[in-house]
Amino acid sequence: MKNLSYLLFFSIFFFGTLSWSQTNTSYAIWTKVELSFASDKTYENALYDVKEFGAVFTSPTGRTKKLNGFWNGTTDWKIRFLPDEMGEWRYETFCSDEANKGLIGQKGQFNVVGNKSAEILYRHGTIKVNKGDYHLTYADGTPFFLTACTAWNGALKSTDEEWDTYLKQRKRNSYNTIQYVTTQWRGCETNAEGLQAYSGQGKIEINTSFFERIDKKTDEINAHGLLAAPVVLWALPVGDGRHLSPGYSLPTDDATLLAKYIVARLQGNHVLWILGGDGDYLDENEDRWKFIGREVFGDIDNAPTTLHPKGSSWIGKAYEDEDWLDFVAYQSSHSNRQGVVDWINKGPMAKTWHSLPAKPLINMEPNYEEIKFEITAEDVRNASYWSIFATPISGITYGANGIWPWIQKEGELIENHGNPGGRGPSTWRKSIDFPGSKQIGLLSNLVQGYPWWTLKPARELLVGDPTEKGFNRFISVVADNAKDLIIGYVPKPMSFSLRLAASSEYKIKWFDPITGKTREDAYSNTTGMAKLESPSEQDWVFVLERKR
């Protein structure tokens, strides 16, 4: 009985999904509100037969939000919502089937009260992008440095115990966001129960039982204080199993309907939308993806949205006028060779960020640790520090070749992805303790110890070009406008010089990206030039703070 009472409290406090009266019910701010409606009729295929269903919500201050609802099986329809004001909210439903009185014109109200959770998401509110910013923020304006872990198959394959263990460990290691896939795709043909999100081609049918698992896994991400980053439509157009990926295989209209359905199911959660995963969004595919983005997000109140492109693809310029694309993601792919390293440090992100509309710019897929049994923790650190310093700082993601496919036992192979030498990667349990996995958490802690949202690339402060002695000797430098704070990444042991303000005194700190330990040195500069040297034979981060 005690356990039942706890579960009841947990459900009400975090999710507010109990099906009691929708009138005069109270919910905590920043938690999911779920409203249920009974249709007057049963549809043959609700996804197509009901073109539009949702509600317009009116806040206590008079703002309105339009949100879509979704079919949940038989005559059950729902609308999910994340309230952002305290006080009385009102709503009225709309439906394209005007004869269905159970879905159209339904009115109600509910009260929103303060949230007592200690989790940052519930204290500061939903994640958003303010116009003109290069970074994400919480609703109250607090900057949000995205630190994501990639678990593409986590929500599809994990047991309850596995998911809880994984989320707790990610939280302890300073991650704040989880990336995952929400349908079948080339990396996972069915979920753990053997189900697929939809069936058919040309006119698909939704499997609501499949999505109940996705709902639960998403709720648990938020309950651990983490932001959910669901991939709505996986889209890679090449490779074995590509026919399983809806962003590639479904006709545009079907893909759009499926995306709307998934967004409606998860919009009551703290989310960051990844509309397409690993796709080619340029050239002959550009019109298709712009159409889907506009149709899905164009007229609703939604969380920040992006596209996850295929490797070494830059969509920043082509999509600069797409209002629904709130931030620009890119994928540097998985290599420590010169082509990828130069693309991160000298490619289109580094060259064009200042000439495009200000938006967050984030590498959503740098080197996966252990991929091809080649990529090491050092390669992960290199790609990650180079990425965050190539543009105004926004965030970074981590991946391991045993986490994203959710490898549960030794020897298990990855679906449709090739396995070098017929050998599978390490299990997800082993991979979350990889050195690089922990060191991305250290990176996040370092960055968040400073006003990172004020920092932009400032490589002009560097004297000379260390890459003349090797492409992987690229020193990244960022600074605030006044040059009071300067941070740089030194990937190899070396001596180098920086141009500093004359007659100024700086305090220098060296941060060890392997252990997270620091060493401080006093440095007095009177010549406008500082000569620095790596403390030991490894990569280092330097931090210079001008004394006032």
Side-chain angles (χ1 to χ4, degrees):
M1 189 67 179
K2 181 178 180 181
N3 289 338
L4 179 61
S5 298
Y6 170 77
L7 290 172
L8 189 63
F9 169 79
F10 182 85
S11 296
I12 297 172
F13 184 80
F14 278 105
F15 309 125
T17 57
L18 295 182
S19 56
W20 296 337
S21 172
Q22 294 164 191
T23 302
N24 298 323
T25 301
S26 290
Y27 302 89
I29 191 171
W30 309 125
T31 57
K32 178 164 62 176
V33 172
E34 181 177 288
L35 306 175
S36 297
F37 303 89
S39 171
D40 287 350
K41 62 179 76 171
T42 301
Y43 295 97
E44 181 180 352
N45 191 326
L47 196 65
Y48 296 87
D49 297 340
V50 178
K51 301 296 184 184
E52 193 175 36
F53 166 70
V56 175
F57 292 82
T58 302
S59 78
T61 61
R63 293 183 303 119
T64 59
K65 291 174 174 282
K66 179 184 177 184
L67 294 172
N68 293 324
F70 63 94
W71 173 73
N72 197 45
T74 61
T75 59
D76 183 24
W77 292 73
K78 296 184 184 297
I79 301 172
R80 290 172 177 165
F81 171 56
L82 195 66
D84 57 2
E85 285 185 25
M86 289 189 289
E88 185 181 78
W89 285 81
R90 296 181 178 274
Y91 65 86
E92 181 173 359
T93 63
F94 55 83
C95 182
S96 56
D97 184 353
E98 297 182 0
N100 193 335
K101 302 305 180 184
L103 300 183
I104 193 170
Q106 295 292 315
K107 298 180 181 181
Q109 63 276 335
F110 53 86
N111 192 49
V112 174
V113 298
N115 197 314
K116 297 180 181 179
S117 172
E119 297 291 355
I120 293 175
L121 271 181
Y122 298 101
R123 294 206 317 268
H124 295 299
T126 51
I127 303 303
K128 64 177 184 176
V129 178
N130 292 319
K131 189 176 181 61
D133 280 353
Y134 287 104
H135 62 278
L136 300 158
T137 71
Y138 293 95
D140 66 0
T142 303
F144 177 81
F145 180 77
L146 182 138
T147 312
C149 186
T150 305
W152 296 140
N153 284 351
L156 302 174
K157 295 174 63 176
S158 65
T159 66
D160 291 346
E161 180 276 329
E162 288 176 338
W163 199 233
D164 182 65
T165 298
Y166 166 73
L167 296 175
K168 285 178 178 175
Q169 200 270 1
R170 296 291 80 180
K171 180 77 175 295
R172 287 196 304 270
N173 283 273
S174 301
Y175 288 84
N176 55 28
T177 304
I178 305 298
Q179 302 186 129
Y180 60 105
V181 177
T182 58
T183 68
Q184 68 263 31
W185 67 294
R186 66 182 295 258
C188 191
E189 185 170 353
T190 65
N191 71 8
E193 291 75 40
L195 303 177
Q196 293 187 323
Y198 63 92
S199 58
Q201 187 85 8
K203 195 169 187 179
I204 63 175
E205 294 187 4
I206 294 293
N207 185 340
T208 57
S209 296
F210 175 96
F211 283 105
E212 287 172 1
R213 164 181 268 267
I214 298 298
D215 293 345
K216 180 179 179 182
K217 299 298 183 181
T218 304
D219 286 347
E220 289 168 351
I221 291 172
N222 287 169
H224 283 79
L226 301 168
L227 178 67
V231 177
V232 180
L233 302 170
W234 197 267
L236 187 68
V238 297
D240 294 341
R242 60 187 180 276
H243 65 283
L244 296 167
S245 302
Y248 164 73
S249 62
L250 291 181
T252 300
D253 288 345
D254 291 344
T256 302
L257 286 174
L258 177 61
K260 284 185 173 181
Y261 182 84
I262 294 171
V263 169
R265 284 199 79 109
L266 301 182
Q267 68 192 357
N269 291 92
H270 289 267
V271 296
L272 179 154
W273 301 115
I274 304 174
L275 176 59
D278 219 1
D280 181 355
Y281 310 121
L282 301 174
D283 303 321
E284 67 271 16
N285 300 312
E286 188 173 326
D287 288 343
R288 166 181 164 88
W289 283 98
K290 286 182 176 178
F291 174 84
I292 294 174
R294 294 166 188 168
E295 286 293 305
V296 175
F297 298 109
D299 67 343
I300 63 169
D301 184 80
N302 62 279
T305 303
T306 194
L307 288 167
H308 174 289
K310 66 178 185 177
S312 301
S313 177
W314 173 245
I315 67 170
K317 179 63 178 176
Y319 284 73
E320 65 177 323
D321 295 324
E322 295 299 305
D323 291 338
W324 58 270
L325 193 80
D326 298 295
F327 71 98
V328 182
Y330 63 94
Q331 176 191 169
S332 61
S333 200
H334 313 286
S335 173
N336 55 14
R337 295 174 176 83
Q338 184 168 1
V340 168
V341 171
D342 284 351
W343 193 78
I344 294 174
N345 291 321
K346 304 175 182 179
M349 302 77 62
K351 288 182 177 178
T352 65
W353 67 264
H354 51 81
S355 63
L356 298 173
K359 291 181 179 181
L361 305 149
I362 303 176
N363 191 347
M364 303 289 276
E365 193 172 328
N367 283 329
Y368 282 169
E369 199 162 6
E370 200 190 44
I371 197 168
K372 304 174 188 175
F373 302 104
E374 294 177 355
I375 297 301
T376 66
E378 180 182 9
D379 297 321
V380 170
R381 295 194 307 274
N382 287 171
S384 299
Y385 279 98
W386 281 331
S387 295
I388 65 170
F389 292 159
T391 64
I393 296 178
S394 301
I396 195 63
T397 61
Y398 171 80
N401 217 38
I403 298 177
W404 74 257
W406 207 258
I407 299 299
Q408 293 167 304
K409 60 182 184 295
E410 294 292 341
E412 182 181 343
L413 301 180
I414 304 175
E415 284 186 48
N416 296 314
H417 277 70
N419 295 270
R423 174 186 170 196
S426 300
T427 66
W428 71 266
R429 288 186 193 270
K430 181 177 180 181
S431 300
I432 58 175
D433 286 322
F434 278 171
S437 172
K438 295 181 177 180
Q439 288 157 12
I440 293 304
L442 299 179
L443 176 156
S444 183
N445 290 336
L446 167 69
V447 169
Q448 294 190 72
Y450 298 94
W452 55 268
W453 57 94
T454 68
L455 302 177
K456 296 180 175 63
R459 204 161 181 267
E460 71 277 4
L461 300 179
L462 184 66
V463 179
D465 186 1
T467 60
E468 292 176 355
K469 295 182 179 180
F471 69 90
N472 58 359
R473 293 170 61 86
F474 190 96
I475 297 179
S476 300
V477 183
V478 293
D480 60 13
N481 290 335
K483 305 300 185 288
D484 290 334
L485 175 62
I486 304 168
I487 302 178
Y489 179 63
V490 186
K492 301 290 182 183
M494 68 181 89
S495 299
F496 58 97
S497 296
L498 294 174
R499 300 180 182 90
L500 301 179
S503 302
S504 294
E505 186 177 356
Y506 286 83
K507 179 179 70 175
I508 183 169
K509 177 187 294 183
W510 287 99
F511 174 82
D512 183 341
I514 298 175
T515 66
K517 295 181 180 179
T518 59
R519 52 181 291 179
E520 296 188 15
D521 297 308
Y523 183 81
S524 180
N525 172 53
T526 57
T527 64
M529 190 76 68
K531 293 183 179 181
L532 305 177
E533 184 174 356
S534 304
S536 67
E537 298 293 309
Q538 62 169 71
D539 54 331
W540 284 89
V541 179
F542 64 83
V543 180
L544 288 168
E545 294 180 273
R546 179 154 42 177
K547 292 186 177 180
R548 291 293 187 182

